[in-house]
Amino acid sequence: MSIEVPMAVPDGLRPLVEAVSVLRAEDPAAGERPPLVHLPDPGTSLIFRTTRAGHSDLLVIGPRTRASYHVGKDLPFCLRLRLRPGATRPLLGVPVSEVVDRVVRLRDLWGASCEPLNAALGHAGGDHGLVLRHLEAALPARISMDGARRELVQAAVRALRGRTGARREPLPALARHLAVSERHLRGLFADAVGLSPKRYERIERVRKALALGRSDGPRWADLATATGYYDQSHMTAEFRTLMGVTPAAFFQGRLPALQPC
């Protein structure tokens, strides 16, 4: 599997980016490259990567509603910028729902205006600091955010993240708490996050189960309670839907058949 090594978010990118990391493949064992596992993820990221052949890409990775499993590959440079929910829609220029479960080149969204940035990044090579400086210079200039809308999106996301691990209150109650209609909340999520609130919450819950399962060991009934599922069978069913295998199979390394990345 891949390892993410956190980096500091440059000051100029903080309004747009909540986390920066370098992605590295785990050291292969017995001469075999470990599988590349993409977990379900409600967030959207920018990825800048280079290949051994010298090619580079600036990619948009949209929200992933299900895990995927791929043959591992060797990328000498891969930098991830995880975008803030309230900034994603203005930066991309399209509703986030259009990139759900997709990988899109940023130039396909920005058009020719992306070429100067692509050229600068291509010449930056494997210099993380230089790549980030180019992105810090280019990305903020692309957007003019509605402050009230951004704050509403981020408040809604915080509320749903905070409910993971607890019994869920009905969505109308959350909408009232945020002083918006339920219809407006659903539309806001589709446009700014790309997912319905319910699907967002399901993905966050399975991610929490993954994190706790790795750190605390597989006590399934306790894990189900800690992550807000009704019971162990509910957790197992949702885990299988989003991850493609049961929790026991995943943590034992019994993964679905690997596909080309």
Side-chain angles (χ1 to χ4, degrees):
M1 300 182 190
S2 59
I3 300 172
E4 291 201 36
V5 181
M7 297 183 64
V9 180
D11 290 342
L13 289 175
R14 289 186 184 278
L16 310 178
V17 175
E18 61 182 12
V20 175
S21 57
V22 178
L23 277 66
R24 296 175 180 153
E26 291 181 337
D27 293 334
E32 296 183 1
R33 187 164 297 282
L36 183 61
V37 179
H38 292 307
L39 300 177
D41 191 340
T44 299
S45 295
L46 283 182
I47 298 280
F48 177 69
R49 66 177 188 177
T50 61
T51 68
R52 291 293 179 191
H55 302 299
S56 63
D57 286 301
L58 185 56
L59 306 173
V60 176
I61 311 294
R64 285 191 298 268
T65 60
R66 286 179 171 80
S68 59
Y69 303 86
H70 305 280
V71 178
K73 60 182 179 180
D74 185 14
L75 292 174
F77 184 92
C78 192
L79 185 72
R80 178 198 298 273
L81 283 73
R82 188 176 180 86
L83 300 175
R84 294 190 183 278
T88 304
R89 167 58 159 106
L91 181 64
L92 300 185
V94 298
V96 183
S97 56
E98 294 188 14
V99 296
V100 172
D101 289 323
R102 295 179 63 200
V103 179
V104 183
R105 288 183 173 86
L106 186 61
R107 67 170 174 263
D108 292 339
L109 303 178
W110 284 10
S113 63
C114 193
E115 293 309 317
L117 176 58
N118 280 337
L121 294 176
H123 288 100
D127 186 332
H128 301 92
L130 184 55
V131 169
L132 285 173
R133 286 196 292 275
H134 285 311
L135 293 170
E136 187 177 13
L139 298 186
R142 290 286 311 190
I143 67 173
S144 176
M145 288 189 289
D146 180 334
R149 181 179 176 84
R150 177 187 61 196
E151 291 176 7
L152 179 58
V153 171
Q154 293 179 353
V157 166
R158 284 195 301 270
L160 289 179
R161 284 177 178 171
R163 297 196 310 173
T164 302
R167 294 301 181 195
R168 293 173 288 169
E169 63 178 334
L171 190 62
L174 175 60
R176 287 195 299 272
H177 175 72
L178 296 171
V180 297
S181 69
E182 181 181 352
R183 180 178 180 181
H184 182 73
L185 180 59
R186 292 182 185 278
L188 183 73
F189 254 74
D191 185 68
V193 180
L195 306 167
S196 70
K198 182 177 181 180
R199 176 166 278 188
Y200 180 96
E201 202 168 22
R202 289 179 70 194
I203 294 172
E204 284 286 356
R205 191 163 52 235
V206 83
R207 287 172 66 87
K208 186 170 184 179
L210 286 163
L212 291 179
R214 288 195 182 99
S215 62
D216 295 341
R219 297 186 296 274
W220 306 125
D222 292 344
L223 183 61
T225 299
T227 48
Y229 293 100
Y230 295 115
D231 53 28
Q232 182 178 335
S233 62
H234 179 213
M235 179 184 72
T236 299
E238 287 220 340
F239 198 99
R240 188 195 295 272
T241 297
L242 272 67
M243 297 297 298
V245 291
T246 64
F250 182 84
F251 287 113
Q252 291 168 11
R254 294 185 282 115
L255 306 180
L258 303 182
Q259 302 296 321
C261 187

